[in-house]
Every structure is written in structure tokens, then in C-alpha cells.
Amino acid sequence: MSGKVGDLSALQATALQTFKENVKDLLKPSHDDYYLLRWLRARNFDLKKSEEMLRNHASWRKKTGADTVLESFVIPEVVSKYLTGGHCGYDKQGNPIWIDPFGRIDIKGILRSVKKSDVIKTQVHRLERLQVEQIQQTENFGHKVEEVIVIYDLEYLGMKHLWKPGVDMFCEIIDMFEWHYPETLKLVFVINAPRFFPIAYNIVKPFLSEATANKVRIYGTSNFSSALLQYIDADQLPKAYGGTRTDPPGDPRCSALVCQGGDVPKDFYSKVSINSLDMDKYTAVTIGRGSSLQVDLIVTEPDSAIRWQFITEGYDLGFGVYKRTKDSRQKAHAMEEVIPSQRVNSHIFPEDGSVIIQDPGTYVVRFDNTYSWTRSKKIYYIIEMLEPDTEDEFELANESPTKDC
């Protein structure tokens, strides 16, 4: 049995009645059996876990002001203009479609312009707006509409999108969705996935429930249109994705409905200081004058990525990535250059980046202060090695879709 209204086993029906009694102090007129069953399904009808989840959710709604976010929260201008995504059409059962051209987002520019909490609250605003759409669609269709289809378009996704603060925020949003909007996802279509996508997916996957992971469909740069049209009528799907829909100006991407992102103008940027960062996550080291700091990483899996972020106090610093050609410690000139060393203004904005590593071996992230004979430099850094997801086969060739995940 699916655990949905009209398809309950005797045990599930009994659990629903018990659950309803246990949480009656939380219930509102809009909290019908469809709503209650979402929380039960999310915890496999475990009454204790389902109640704990719902009570935590009720507390979260008070803390975040989710009940009034549509009326009280004003989305910051830069977020409104550059945070990708938008509601565009409905599937064949009346469920809203959310399209996110995530490959076009400048998450670094956004987070250098507003607080992370502003972005997260915007996502709460979006989710609450979609629930209003579901209520309206329930009235229009005459049957319960409580799910959403999400399309992630990863065209132009690059290594810059592995920027740690942005990835951490995205994972936090996924976690929020799993805990506070359970069983509202019908399917996720990931399209135009690049070849390094397994690395990104391996970061995100731990935040997905098994039920959510089973709803993800991943495609390369072709053959996704036919899959989308199985669930979405052509007049509800943007022309850019194989449908016939355009927005009023005739844009095949429906940009009037779906924010396409783009580079955030630096006029929006706020000055970043060390005091504004979560320093518990950083390693702090003072590099002496005329000295350097080398951080070794052993890469065992091809197509892994090395990711870094650092900021310095007061002055610039040299930075480069190398591969050792011997097992013993080597000077920079004796190693193979991966990213040539150059001076960066890490005292103005945090410096960050990543690089894909094809060949296993020992790699060195090197912070260079050898050019400065008068000043020591204090640096705060995070360095990580990210391995690809090796559990799933990803077929991202242009000629064929990937397998479902």
C-alpha cells in the first residue's frame, strides 16, 4: 500500500488515527489526512518518529516565521534578480513545475551581496508560495494536489559551483526541504548534467532521503525532452526543454517566469571581513616572512576534485597547486604545475576555487610568502578533496540519457 489517502492498509489506517490523536494540539483546520500522512510516510509510519518530526516542524515554523513569510518578508533585490528558479506551468495531474537553471547561478556573487539567511528565507518564501499554488490547483482539478516536479538545468555548471560556502548553503536548503516539506516531491529531473556531475552529486546525496533519491532522474545534454513530456504537456513546458511554451515576449526559456541568474554586478557586493566568517571551520596558520606553507593531499580516485577557500589578514599571498614527482618533499620548481602560483588579493575577498584531478598521486596546495622578506602573513584556510560518486553509473554522453538514480 502506498500510504496515501484511499490506499491504506489496516495498520496504516490505525496509525493515522493514533497519530491524529497524538498531535491534536498542533492541528489546524487545513491539516487534513493528506497532510498527516505526509509525516507518517516520511518516517515509515513510525508514530514516535513522525510525531517528533511534526513537533520539530511546528517549532521551526514559529522560529522562522514561515506562517507569515509571504506577507512579511521582502526578498532582497539582488536575490530577486539573480537567484535562479521559478514556477512555470503544471504537470498533467496539476502539480506545479519548478524550473531552476542552476548552471547559470552566480552563488558567490549572491553570497557576497546578502546574508545566507536571506537566501534561505527566500527559499522558504518560494516553498510556501508553491503550497498556495497546490491549494489553488486542488480546487481547480477537484482532486488533491500536494506534489511538485523540479527541473534542474545544469547547462554551464562548472567547477566554480563547487565553491564551499555555496555548496554548504545548498545542502542546508535540501536538508530544510527534507525535514519541513516531506513527501511533497513528485520527481526531480536533472538535465544537461556535465561529466563532473558525480562529484557534485556525491556531496549532495547524504542530505537526500532514500525516497527523494529514488525520485531523481539524471540526463546529459539530449534525450531529456521525451522524458519530461511523459509527465508534462507541451504547452506547459518551455520550448527550450522540448515543449511549446514561451513567455509573453516569446522567450523559449520563459525568463519572465524563471529567473535565469547571471553574474551579480559588483555594485551589490558587501565588504567581507574575517569577523563575518565562521572561523571554526578554518585552519589558522601564520606563514613566516620569506616562507611558504605546503598542504599535501593524496588523491586515489580519478576525476576527484581539490577544493579550497582562504582569507588572509591585511596582505596578499601567493597560491598554487602542484603534483609531486617524487615521494619525498620537493620545492615548487621541482614539482609538476597544476595551477601556476600567482599572488591573489585574499585580504580583500576570500579566495576560492577547485580543480579536477585526473591522475592519482600526491598533490600540494601551496601558499607562498617567499616574495615577502618583511612581513609574516596570517592565513585562514579550508582545503578538501572531493571524490566522485562511484556507486552509480552516470552516462552523461550527448547521445543517451543517464540511468535513473
Side-chain angles (χ1 to χ4, degrees):
M1 312 299 282
S2 67
K4 295 185 177 182
V5 171
D7 190 31
L8 299 176
S9 68
L11 288 176
Q12 289 172 339
T14 299
L16 172 60
Q17 295 308 312
T18 302
F19 185 54
K20 193 181 299 186
E21 182 65 25
N22 291 349
V23 298
K24 63 183 179 181
D25 59 304
L26 300 177
L27 299 185
K28 299 179 181 180
S30 60
H31 293 167
D32 54 15
D33 287 353
Y34 292 93
Y35 176 83
L36 294 172
L37 284 168
R38 282 172 42 203
W39 303 93
L40 286 167
R41 291 197 304 274
R43 291 297 177 264
N44 296 315
F45 282 81
D46 183 309
L47 286 168
K48 183 177 180 180
K49 291 181 179 178
S50 298
E51 180 177 350
E52 180 181 13
M53 187 181 187
L54 182 55
R55 291 192 179 280
N56 286 339
H57 172 69
S59 175
W60 173 84
R61 293 191 71 86
K62 290 180 180 178
K63 181 179 178 181
T64 60
D67 287 337
T68 60
V69 69
L70 293 178
E71 297 78 28
S72 62
F73 178 62
V74 178
I75 298 175
E77 180 185 3
V78 67
V79 178
S80 178
K81 288 183 175 180
Y82 295 99
L83 184 65
T84 53
H87 166 224
C88 183
Y90 304 91
D91 75 359
K92 295 179 180 181
Q93 280 69 51
N95 297 294
I97 301 165
W98 184 267
I99 298 175
D100 190 340
F102 190 76
R104 298 167 182 254
I105 196 171
D106 177 11
I107 193 62
K108 186 187 301 184
I110 291 173
L111 288 181
R112 284 182 174 174
S113 305
V114 295
K115 296 179 293 185
K116 180 180 74 172
S117 59
D118 289 329
V119 181
I120 292 175
K121 196 151 191 177
T122 297
Q123 296 291 15
V124 175
H125 189 283
R126 289 175 163 186
L127 289 165
E128 293 295 312
R129 176 62 65 188
L130 283 173
Q131 291 199 328
V132 172
E133 290 290 336
Q134 290 169 336
I135 294 171
Q136 185 61 53
Q137 286 298 96
T138 295
E139 296 176 1
N140 293 341
F141 274 70
H143 65 79
K144 187 68 173 181
V145 173
E146 57 177 344
E147 295 178 315
V148 62
I149 282 183
V150 177
I151 301 172
Y152 278 110
D153 179 4
L154 301 188
E155 184 180 18
Y156 304 121
L157 190 79
M159 294 300 294
K160 66 181 182 180
H161 292 95
L162 291 181
W163 183 54
K164 182 174 172 55
V167 172
D168 289 348
M169 183 190 68
F170 184 65
C171 291
E172 187 173 335
I173 290 169
I174 292 174
D175 196 51
M176 177 186 73
F177 180 82
E178 290 281 7
W179 279 93
H180 300 293
Y181 299 89
E183 295 293 311
T184 59
L185 184 65
K186 182 174 182 178
L187 287 171
V188 176
F189 290 94
V190 178
I191 64 174
N192 290 317
R195 289 189 177 275
F196 78 88
F197 177 75
I199 294 175
Y201 191 64
N202 204 32
I203 298 172
V204 171
K205 193 165 67 171
F207 295 88
L208 304 178
S209 67
E210 182 180 357
T212 297
N214 289 336
K215 295 174 181 178
V216 178
R217 309 287 185 265
I218 304 170
Y219 294 87
T221 57
S222 66
N223 291 344
F224 54 78
S225 296
S226 59
L228 292 172
L229 289 169
Q230 290 180 33
Y231 297 92
I232 305 167
D233 288 328
D235 64 351
Q236 295 294 302
L237 182 66
K239 192 173 182 179
Y241 303 132
T244 61
R245 182 167 186 163
T246 60
D247 62 16
D251 180 4
R253 299 186 64 85
C254 296
S255 300
L257 300 172
V258 179
C259 178
Q260 299 295 311
D263 292 339
V264 175
K266 292 186 178 180
D267 292 347
F268 282 107
Y269 284 17
S270 301
K271 183 173 176 58
V272 177
S273 69
I274 290 176
N275 293 333
S276 68
L277 301 175
D278 184 358
M279 299 315 299
D280 290 340
K281 298 179 180 179
Y282 288 74
T283 298
V285 176
T286 298
I287 304 174
R289 57 186 183 176
S291 301
S292 66
L293 170 67
Q294 295 187 171
V295 180
D296 286 12
L297 297 100
I298 299 175
V299 178
T300 59
E301 294 290 335
D303 295 321
S304 295
I306 296 174
R307 179 173 66 174
W308 60 85
Q309 181 181 13
F310 62 93
I311 188 170
T312 51
E313 288 185 354
Y315 305 99
D316 65 2
L317 192 67
F319 173 82
V321 179
Y322 301 82
K323 181 183 179 183
R324 291 198 186 283
T325 57
K326 296 181 180 179
D327 292 337
S328 58
R329 188 172 180 84
Q330 295 175 282
K331 294 185 178 295
H333 67 82
M335 294 187 284
E336 178 185 331
E337 285 187 339
V338 178
I339 296 178
S341 184
Q342 59 180 328
R343 292 169 66 168
V344 295
N345 292 323
S346 51
H347 60 301
I348 299 175
F349 285 112
E351 185 71 21
D352 58 82
S354 55
V355 62
I356 292 287
I357 301 299
Q358 300 291 342
D359 300 321
T362 300
Y363 289 79
V364 176
V365 175
R366 182 173 183 269
F367 300 104
D368 179 19
N369 194 37
T370 58
Y371 59 87
S372 178
W373 290 97
T374 59
R375 294 190 180 96
S376 298
K377 308 283 178 67
K378 188 164 186 180
I379 180 175
Y380 303 82
Y381 70 86
I382 299 172
I383 300 174
E384 298 174 293
M385 189 181 70
L386 309 175
E387 294 185 348
D389 185 352
T390 57
E391 295 181 8
D392 296 301
E393 294 282 339
F394 290 92
E395 302 170 8
L396 301 180
N398 291 346
E399 300 304 319
S400 60
T402 66
K403 62 174 280 188
D404 293 348
C405 294

